[in-house]
PDB file of all heavy atoms in Angstrom:
ATOM      1  N   GLU A 241       7.745   8.563  -9.538  1.00 97.00           N
ATOM      2  CA  GLU A 241       7.841   8.412  -8.076  1.00 97.00           C
ATOM      3  C   GLU A 241       7.875   9.819  -7.490  1.00 97.00           C
ATOM      4  O   GLU A 241       8.273  10.774  -8.172  1.00 97.00           O
ATOM      5  CB  GLU A 241       9.099   7.633  -7.667  1.00 97.00           C
ATOM      6  CG  GLU A 241      10.402   8.313  -8.063  1.00 97.00           C
ATOM      7  CD  GLU A 241      11.645   7.659  -7.465  1.00 97.00           C
ATOM      8  OE1 GLU A 241      11.595   6.503  -7.015  1.00 97.00           O
ATOM      9  OE2 GLU A 241      12.694   8.332  -7.442  1.00 97.00           O
ATOM     10  N   ARG A 273       2.884   5.423 -13.928  1.00 96.00           N
ATOM     11  CA  ARG A 273       3.748   4.431 -14.592  1.00 96.00           C
ATOM     12  C   ARG A 273       2.926   3.721 -15.656  1.00 96.00           C
ATOM     13  O   ARG A 273       1.823   3.262 -15.358  1.00 96.00           O
ATOM     14  CB  ARG A 273       4.270   3.388 -13.587  1.00 96.00           C
ATOM     15  CG  ARG A 273       5.171   3.989 -12.557  1.00 96.00           C
ATOM     16  CD  ARG A 273       5.736   2.963 -11.600  1.00 96.00           C
ATOM     17  NE  ARG A 273       6.413   3.666 -10.519  1.00 96.00           N
ATOM     18  CZ  ARG A 273       6.999   3.103  -9.474  1.00 96.00           C
ATOM     19  NH1 ARG A 273       7.024   1.791  -9.389  1.00 96.00           N
ATOM     20  NH2 ARG A 273       7.579   3.821  -8.545  1.00 96.00           N
ATOM     21  N   GLU A 275       2.390   0.870 -16.727  1.00 91.00           N
ATOM     22  CA  GLU A 275       2.588  -0.543 -16.395  1.00 91.00           C
ATOM     23  C   GLU A 275       2.198  -1.422 -17.585  1.00 91.00           C
ATOM     24  O   GLU A 275       1.152  -1.218 -18.205  1.00 91.00           O
ATOM     25  CB  GLU A 275       1.727  -0.927 -15.184  1.00 91.00           C
ATOM     26  CG  GLU A 275       2.083  -0.207 -13.899  1.00 91.00           C
ATOM     27  CD  GLU A 275       3.327  -0.757 -13.222  1.00 91.00           C
ATOM     28  OE1 GLU A 275       3.900  -1.748 -13.720  1.00 91.00           O
ATOM     29  OE2 GLU A 275       3.736  -0.173 -12.203  1.00 91.00           O
ATOM     30  N   PHE A 283      -4.154  -2.905  -7.184  1.00 96.00           N
ATOM     31  CA  PHE A 283      -2.809  -3.297  -6.755  1.00 96.00           C
ATOM     32  C   PHE A 283      -1.756  -2.680  -7.675  1.00 96.00           C
ATOM     33  O   PHE A 283      -0.737  -2.178  -7.225  1.00 96.00           O
ATOM     34  CB  PHE A 283      -2.671  -4.824  -6.744  1.00 96.00           C
ATOM     35  CG  PHE A 283      -1.322  -5.275  -6.274  1.00 96.00           C
ATOM     36  CD1 PHE A 283      -1.027  -5.318  -4.924  1.00 96.00           C
ATOM     37  CD2 PHE A 283      -0.325  -5.621  -7.186  1.00 96.00           C
ATOM     38  CE1 PHE A 283       0.235  -5.699  -4.479  1.00 96.00           C
ATOM     39  CE2 PHE A 283       0.935  -6.003  -6.751  1.00 96.00           C
ATOM     40  CZ  PHE A 283       1.206  -6.045  -5.394  1.00 96.00           C
ATOM     41  N   ARG A 284      -1.991  -2.759  -8.984  1.00 95.00           N
ATOM     42  CA  ARG A 284      -1.020  -2.198  -9.922  1.00 95.00           C
ATOM     43  C   ARG A 284      -1.764  -1.271 -10.875  1.00 95.00           C
ATOM     44  O   ARG A 284      -2.484  -1.727 -11.754  1.00 95.00           O
ATOM     45  CB  ARG A 284      -0.319  -3.325 -10.686  1.00 95.00           C
ATOM     46  CG  ARG A 284       0.994  -2.895 -11.290  1.00 95.00           C
ATOM     47  CD  ARG A 284       1.692  -4.016 -12.025  1.00 95.00           C
ATOM     48  NE  ARG A 284       1.959  -5.192 -11.192  1.00 95.00           N
ATOM     49  CZ  ARG A 284       2.897  -5.260 -10.256  1.00 95.00           C
ATOM     50  NH1 ARG A 284       3.671  -4.231 -10.026  1.00 95.00           N
ATOM     51  NH2 ARG A 284       3.056  -6.360  -9.552  1.00 95.00           N
ATOM     52  N   MET A 285      -1.603   0.030 -10.664  1.00 96.00           N
ATOM     53  CA  MET A 285      -2.345   1.000 -11.474  1.00 96.00           C
ATOM     54  C   MET A 285      -1.381   1.819 -12.329  1.00 96.00           C
ATOM     55  O   MET A 285      -0.182   1.814 -12.100  1.00 96.00           O
ATOM     56  CB  MET A 285      -3.098   1.956 -10.536  1.00 96.00           C
ATOM     57  CG  MET A 285      -4.101   1.260  -9.649  1.00 96.00           C
ATOM     58  SD  MET A 285      -4.435   2.251  -8.211  1.00 96.00           S
ATOM     59  CE  MET A 285      -5.782   3.240  -8.793  1.00 96.00           C
ATOM     60  N   PHE A 288      -1.321   6.322  -9.652  1.00 97.00           N
ATOM     61  CA  PHE A 288      -1.508   5.904  -8.267  1.00 97.00           C
ATOM     62  C   PHE A 288      -0.888   6.935  -7.338  1.00 97.00           C
ATOM     63  O   PHE A 288      -0.338   7.935  -7.794  1.00 97.00           O
ATOM     64  CB  PHE A 288      -0.913   4.500  -8.045  1.00 97.00           C
ATOM     65  CG  PHE A 288       0.557   4.391  -8.354  1.00 97.00           C
ATOM     66  CD1 PHE A 288       1.501   4.439  -7.336  1.00 97.00           C
ATOM     67  CD2 PHE A 288       1.006   4.261  -9.652  1.00 97.00           C
ATOM     68  CE1 PHE A 288       2.864   4.347  -7.609  1.00 97.00           C
ATOM     69  CE2 PHE A 288       2.370   4.166  -9.945  1.00 97.00           C
ATOM     70  CZ  PHE A 288       3.291   4.216  -8.920  1.00 97.00           C
ATOM     71  N   GLN A 290       1.603   7.755  -3.933  1.00 98.00           N
ATOM     72  CA  GLN A 290       2.635   7.236  -3.038  1.00 98.00           C
ATOM     73  C   GLN A 290       2.715   8.073  -1.764  1.00 98.00           C
ATOM     74  O   GLN A 290       2.347   9.254  -1.769  1.00 98.00           O
ATOM     75  CB  GLN A 290       4.005   7.281  -3.725  1.00 98.00           C
ATOM     76  CG  GLN A 290       4.169   6.266  -4.829  1.00 98.00           C
ATOM     77  CD  GLN A 290       5.571   6.250  -5.394  1.00 98.00           C
ATOM     78  OE1 GLN A 290       6.158   7.299  -5.644  1.00 98.00           O
ATOM     79  NE2 GLN A 290       6.131   5.062  -5.601  1.00 98.00           N
ATOM     80  N   GLU A 292       5.848   8.821   0.629  1.00 98.00           N
ATOM     81  CA  GLU A 292       7.282   8.520   0.714  1.00 98.00           C
ATOM     82  C   GLU A 292       7.975   9.432   1.711  1.00 98.00           C
ATOM     83  O   GLU A 292       7.576  10.579   1.907  1.00 98.00           O
ATOM     84  CB  GLU A 292       7.952   8.704  -0.656  1.00 98.00           C
ATOM     85  CG  GLU A 292       7.372   7.792  -1.720  1.00 98.00           C
ATOM     86  CD  GLU A 292       8.310   7.588  -2.898  1.00 98.00           C
ATOM     87  OE1 GLU A 292       8.574   8.561  -3.608  1.00 98.00           O
ATOM     88  OE2 GLU A 292       8.767   6.462  -3.100  1.00 98.00           O
ATOM     89  N   GLU A 355       4.207  -7.141  -2.329  1.00 96.00           N
ATOM     90  CA  GLU A 355       4.798  -5.906  -1.784  1.00 96.00           C
ATOM     91  C   GLU A 355       3.745  -4.845  -1.470  1.00 96.00           C
ATOM     92  O   GLU A 355       2.919  -4.503  -2.308  1.00 96.00           O
ATOM     93  CB  GLU A 355       5.788  -5.336  -2.802  1.00 96.00           C
ATOM     94  CG  GLU A 355       6.377  -4.018  -2.357  1.00 96.00           C
ATOM     95  CD  GLU A 355       7.302  -3.393  -3.411  1.00 96.00           C
ATOM     96  OE1 GLU A 355       7.727  -4.094  -4.351  1.00 96.00           O
ATOM     97  OE2 GLU A 355       7.580  -2.182  -3.270  1.00 96.00           O
ATOM     98  N   LEU A 356       3.827  -4.338  -0.230  1.00 98.00           N
ATOM     99  CA  LEU A 356       2.970  -3.226   0.168  1.00 98.00           C
ATOM    100  C   LEU A 356       3.812  -1.974   0.311  1.00 98.00           C
ATOM    101  O   LEU A 356       3.397  -0.877  -0.078  1.00 98.00           O
ATOM    102  CB  LEU A 356       2.307  -3.592   1.514  1.00 98.00           C
ATOM    103  CG  LEU A 356       1.541  -2.517   2.271  1.00 98.00           C
ATOM    104  CD1 LEU A 356       0.375  -2.008   1.437  1.00 98.00           C
ATOM    105  CD2 LEU A 356       0.996  -3.091   3.576  1.00 98.00           C
ATOM    106  N   GLU A 395      14.988   5.416   2.552  1.00 98.00           N
ATOM    107  CA  GLU A 395      13.670   5.772   2.006  1.00 98.00           C
ATOM    108  C   GLU A 395      12.620   4.790   2.524  1.00 98.00           C
ATOM    109  O   GLU A 395      12.856   3.572   2.542  1.00 98.00           O
ATOM    110  CB  GLU A 395      13.735   5.680   0.487  1.00 98.00           C
ATOM    111  CG  GLU A 395      12.371   5.689  -0.184  1.00 98.00           C
ATOM    112  CD  GLU A 395      12.490   5.539  -1.686  1.00 98.00           C
ATOM    113  OE1 GLU A 395      12.722   4.405  -2.162  1.00 98.00           O
ATOM    114  OE2 GLU A 395      12.378   6.551  -2.389  1.00 98.00           O
ATOM    115  N   SER A 397       8.746   3.885   1.382  1.00 98.00           N
ATOM    116  CA  SER A 397       7.849   4.217   0.266  1.00 98.00           C
ATOM    117  C   SER A 397       6.675   3.248   0.223  1.00 98.00           C
ATOM    118  O   SER A 397       6.850   2.043   0.038  1.00 98.00           O
ATOM    119  CB  SER A 397       8.640   4.122  -1.048  1.00 98.00           C
ATOM    120  OG  SER A 397       7.774   4.318  -2.133  1.00 98.00           O
ATOM    121  N   GLY A 399       2.595   2.562  -1.264  1.00 98.00           N
ATOM    122  CA  GLY A 399       1.534   2.959  -2.183  1.00 98.00           C
ATOM    123  C   GLY A 399       0.242   3.144  -1.399  1.00 98.00           C
ATOM    124  O   GLY A 399      -0.184   2.225  -0.686  1.00 98.00           O
ATOM    125  N   ARG A 402      -2.374   0.754  -2.578  1.00 98.00           N
ATOM    126  CA  ARG A 402      -2.095  -0.619  -2.134  1.00 98.00           C
ATOM    127  C   ARG A 402      -2.470  -0.796  -0.673  1.00 98.00           C
ATOM    128  O   ARG A 402      -2.968  -1.833  -0.258  1.00 98.00           O
ATOM    129  CB  ARG A 402      -0.624  -0.935  -2.328  1.00 98.00           C
ATOM    130  CG  ARG A 402      -0.474  -1.999  -3.373  1.00 98.00           C
ATOM    131  CD  ARG A 402       0.938  -2.322  -3.632  1.00 98.00           C
ATOM    132  NE  ARG A 402       1.146  -2.290  -5.062  1.00 98.00           N
ATOM    133  CZ  ARG A 402       2.228  -2.716  -5.658  1.00 98.00           C
ATOM    134  NH1 ARG A 402       3.226  -3.182  -4.949  1.00 98.00           N
ATOM    135  NH2 ARG A 402       2.322  -2.668  -6.962  1.00 98.00           N
TER     136      ARG A 402
HETATM  137  N1  LIG B 629      10.732   5.775  -4.585  1.00 56.04           N
HETATM  138  C1  LIG B 629      10.805   4.355  -4.548  1.00 56.04           C
HETATM  139  C2  LIG B 629       9.750   3.688  -5.300  1.00 56.04           C
HETATM  140  O1  LIG B 629       8.994   4.316  -6.028  1.00 56.04           O
HETATM  141  P1  LIG B 629       8.705   1.338  -5.751  1.00 56.04           P
HETATM  142  O2  LIG B 629       8.966   0.014  -5.063  1.00 56.04           O
HETATM  143  O3  LIG B 629       8.790   1.370  -7.218  1.00 56.04           O
HETATM  144  O4  LIG B 629       9.737   2.349  -5.083  1.00 56.04           O
HETATM  145  C3  LIG B 629       7.009   2.096  -3.923  1.00 56.04           C
HETATM  146  O5  LIG B 629       7.279   1.867  -5.285  1.00 56.04           O
HETATM  147  C4  LIG B 629       5.605   1.656  -3.579  1.00 56.04           C
HETATM  148  O6  LIG B 629       4.676   2.273  -4.478  1.00 56.04           O
HETATM  149  C5  LIG B 629       5.364   0.160  -3.737  1.00 56.04           C
HETATM  150  O7  LIG B 629       5.735  -0.539  -2.573  1.00 56.04           O
HETATM  151  C6  LIG B 629       3.870   0.098  -3.971  1.00 56.04           C
HETATM  152  O8  LIG B 629       3.171   0.121  -2.742  1.00 56.04           O
HETATM  153  C7  LIG B 629       3.578   1.393  -4.714  1.00 56.04           C
HETATM  154  N2  LIG B 629       3.455   1.158  -6.174  1.00 56.04           N
HETATM  155  C8  LIG B 629       4.445   1.013  -7.074  1.00 56.04           C
HETATM  156  N3  LIG B 629       3.939   0.832  -8.314  1.00 56.04           N
HETATM  157  C9  LIG B 629       2.585   0.859  -8.178  1.00 56.04           C
HETATM  158  C10 LIG B 629       1.496   0.731  -9.097  1.00 56.04           C
HETATM  159  N4  LIG B 629       1.700   0.575 -10.403  1.00 56.04           N
HETATM  160  N5  LIG B 629       0.225   0.796  -8.607  1.00 56.04           N
HETATM  161  C11 LIG B 629       0.004   0.971  -7.286  1.00 56.04           C
HETATM  162  N6  LIG B 629       0.998   1.114  -6.379  1.00 56.04           N
HETATM  163  C12 LIG B 629       2.269   1.055  -6.812  1.00 56.04           C
END
Side-chain angles (χ1 to χ4, degrees):
E241 62 171 18
R273 295 182 189 178
E275 296 283 357
F283 182 80
R284 200 179 302 286
M285 299 157 89
F288 59 99
Q290 289 185 316
E292 300 201 294
E355 176 184 344
L356 170 61
E395 166 182 77
S397 175
R402 246 178 229 190

